[in-house]
Amino acid sequence: MGKFLSRPSAPPPSKDLEPRSLDVSAPEISNGISGTTTAAHLLRASTPQNPITVTVFERASVAGGVWHLDPRPALLPSIPNVRPPSPRDSLLHAPPGPAYQGLKNNVPTSLMRSMLLDWPEGTEEIVPRARLCTYIQDLAVRFGSHAHTLYNTSLISISKSESNKFWGVRSRTLSKMEGRGETRFEEKDWMFDAVVVAAGHYHEPRIPDIQGLKEVAQRLDGAVLHSKQYRNPSPFAGKNILVVGGGVSSLDIVKEVAEVVGKGRVWQSTRGGQWDLPAVLLPVGVERVGEIERFIGPEGQQKPFGVVLKDGHQLDGIDHIIFGTGYITSYPFLGKLQNPDIGVEDADEKIVITSDGCTTHNLHHDIFYIPDPTLAFVGVPYYVSTFSLFDLQGDVVARVFSGKASLPPRDILEKMHRERKEEKAGWGRAFHNLYGRDVEYMEGMTKWVNQEARRRGVDEMRGLLDDEKWRERKVEGRG
């Protein structure tokens, strides 16, 4: 594989530091709803008086995010895999995303859309992943982000310059050399006034540390998988399958493999957590069991193997185990802002990612990096109507970066963040959990930016909260 290095720099930012050249970054997964809508809102906010140049870095070859199906299975990470990778670790250029053939939305389409684009009349509430992927791609084309996207381009690093006046970004683009059938990598340095990270949650698979698991994975090639590697049930025909996890992807996989195992067996192991889906949803013949304590066997390199559960029961004859145990939040391109050697409770006022790999620290309203709000994040909250809430976050970012709203001083932001930490019941998903409160969050953000708009005499933000059908369905919980 050939490699071509080139490091030109973009022009320096304006001296007054008004946001003019903005980087919307979605480098960790395909260009999904967060990156696409944020770029669209930034482009809409650009005016001749205050132009905004948007560059989207997308390491996949198409838009679509987690809804784009890459037939290549993802690589199995190291076992166990419970912490974010160190920024020192090399990044694979564009590993496949987590989509599988049977993937569908679990939030109704009527509640799962951008303010910029409604679904076609008559769209079903639950649709195949290809329809969701097409929706995002339509957004990208219609509202301009597609034309501003560098596809097949990942990020190597993002850091503030020594002068503290701009963000230095290094990208890496994979391209084919015409007529030669070869590929090459081109690295390039950029300078931006602001950066938006819209990378999503579904990049780094989380695999728990369980006694004997590493040995099973080493001895039995293909016996241990994460749901990110799963594409369809056909490889599991006639096998005994143990699926670990009680969430949506685990349930989907259980349902699919149960149809092909024939005389084989399917178990689902869960810890009995708050967010486990009820066992009544499992297909007939699938048994839900407790948490795994340790793995047993095999003696050589022949399947199957077994597990001992924490309640003392033992499962034998397992051919494959599929972990639907979620993902680690990771932004390794942020350099020293990600440090897996720091405990979650030891996070200082600058760090973004710590050892738990689930909490994104020091963000105002889960968007703006408090030490330097020219770094923003879209898509951090959990348990929300993702398309709708992330669309609003992108609109808020565009309002702030275009000068239609401004944040309070840093000391006020820090005080608000300390109070939030004191109020929250825990870290990780609990810290970013907006289940049942996403409308409240959207109302609060809208109230704030519109107060700013009235103070400045500019147009107010309008969004899905102004859509009576969306609001009625969301607030009253019909669907």
Side-chain angles (χ1 to χ4, degrees), residues 92-106:
L92 294 177
H93 183 74
Y100 43 93
Q101 290 181 4
L103 179 63
K104 297 180 180 180
N105 54 309
N106 62 340

Side-chain angles (χ1 to χ4, degrees), residues 18-261:
E18 285 294 321
R20 297 187 186 279
S21 180
L22 302 183
D23 162 30
V24 179
S25 169
E28 285 307 301
I29 57 174
S30 300
N31 191 4
I33 194 67
S34 300
T36 298
T37 55
T38 302
H41 286 301
L42 287 166
L43 290 167
R44 292 172 71 241
S46 180
T47 65
Q49 296 75 29
N50 186 26
I52 299 174
T53 302
V54 179
T55 303
V56 183
F57 295 102
E58 170 50 60
R59 70 182 186 180
S61 59
V62 297
V66 297
W67 304 102
H68 167 61
L69 176 62
D70 187 329
R72 302 173 301 160
L75 297 174
L76 185 70
S78 59
I79 296 178
N81 199 43
V82 295
R83 301 199 313 174
S86 166
R88 297 187 302 272
D89 295 342
S90 62
L91 294 172
L92 294 177
H93 183 74
Y100 43 93
Q101 290 181 4
L103 179 63
K104 297 180 180 180
N105 54 309
N106 62 340
V107 173
T109 54
S110 58
L111 298 178
M112 191 176 176
R113 69 176 182 89
S114 164
M115 62 161 284
L116 301 172
L117 182 64
D118 203 347
W119 289 90
E121 187 71 27
T123 298
E124 300 88 347
E125 291 287 43
I126 304 299
V127 297
R129 56 122 215 115
R131 295 280 300 278
L132 296 149
C133 185
T134 299
Y135 176 88
I136 295 171
Q137 292 172 347
D138 287 347
L139 266 172
V141 172
R142 293 190 192 188
F143 295 93
S145 66
H146 173 73
H148 291 261
T149 298
L150 297 175
Y151 290 102
N152 298 307
T153 301
S154 62
L155 293 192
I156 298 172
S157 63
I158 298 173
S159 60
K160 206 66 187 280
S161 67
E162 292 184 5
S163 65
N164 208 40
K165 291 184 178 180
F166 61 87
W167 289 94
V169 173
R170 175 166 292 181
S171 66
R172 189 172 190 242
T173 300
L174 173 66
S175 60
K176 293 183 178 180
M177 301 175 67
E178 293 185 11
R180 298 176 59 180
E182 298 179 4
T183 58
R184 67 179 183 183
F185 287 106
E186 177 184 359
E187 293 187 10
K188 183 175 179 178
D189 289 341
W190 309 72
M191 290 187 289
F192 295 99
D193 295 303
V195 172
V196 183
V197 178
H201 299 293
Y202 306 105
H203 168 60
E204 188 71 28
R206 184 183 294 273
I207 297 182
D209 187 2
I210 304 174
Q211 180 183 341
L213 172 59
K214 185 174 183 179
E215 289 72 21
V216 169
Q218 290 173 338
R219 293 178 183 177
L220 303 179
D221 185 37
V224 179
L225 300 92
H226 187 273
S227 61
K228 189 179 183 184
Q229 299 174 281
Y230 178 85
R231 292 295 178 266
N232 63 73
S234 58
F236 308 103
K239 306 293 185 180
N240 294 325
I241 311 298
L242 174 59
V243 180
V244 181
V248 174
S249 62
S250 298
L251 180 61
D252 284 350
I253 293 170
V254 163
K255 288 180 176 179
E256 291 189 2
V257 298
E259 294 182 357
V260 302
V261 296

Side-chain angles (χ1 to χ4, degrees), residues 239-241 265 267 296 303-307 314-320:
K239 306 293 185 180
N240 294 325
I241 311 298
R265 296 198 61 184
W267 301 273
I296 51 178
K303 299 176 184 177
F305 58 94
V307 298
Q314 182 170 318
L315 307 180
D316 295 307
I318 302 169
D319 295 296
H320 296 277

Side-chain angles (χ1 to χ4, degrees), residues 111 384-385 438-439 469-477:
L111 298 178
V384 298
S385 297
D438 46 354
V439 169
K469 289 175 60 179
W470 184 91
R471 189 183 183 97
E472 180 183 78
R473 189 167 181 79
K474 181 66 180 175
V475 174
E476 293 185 6

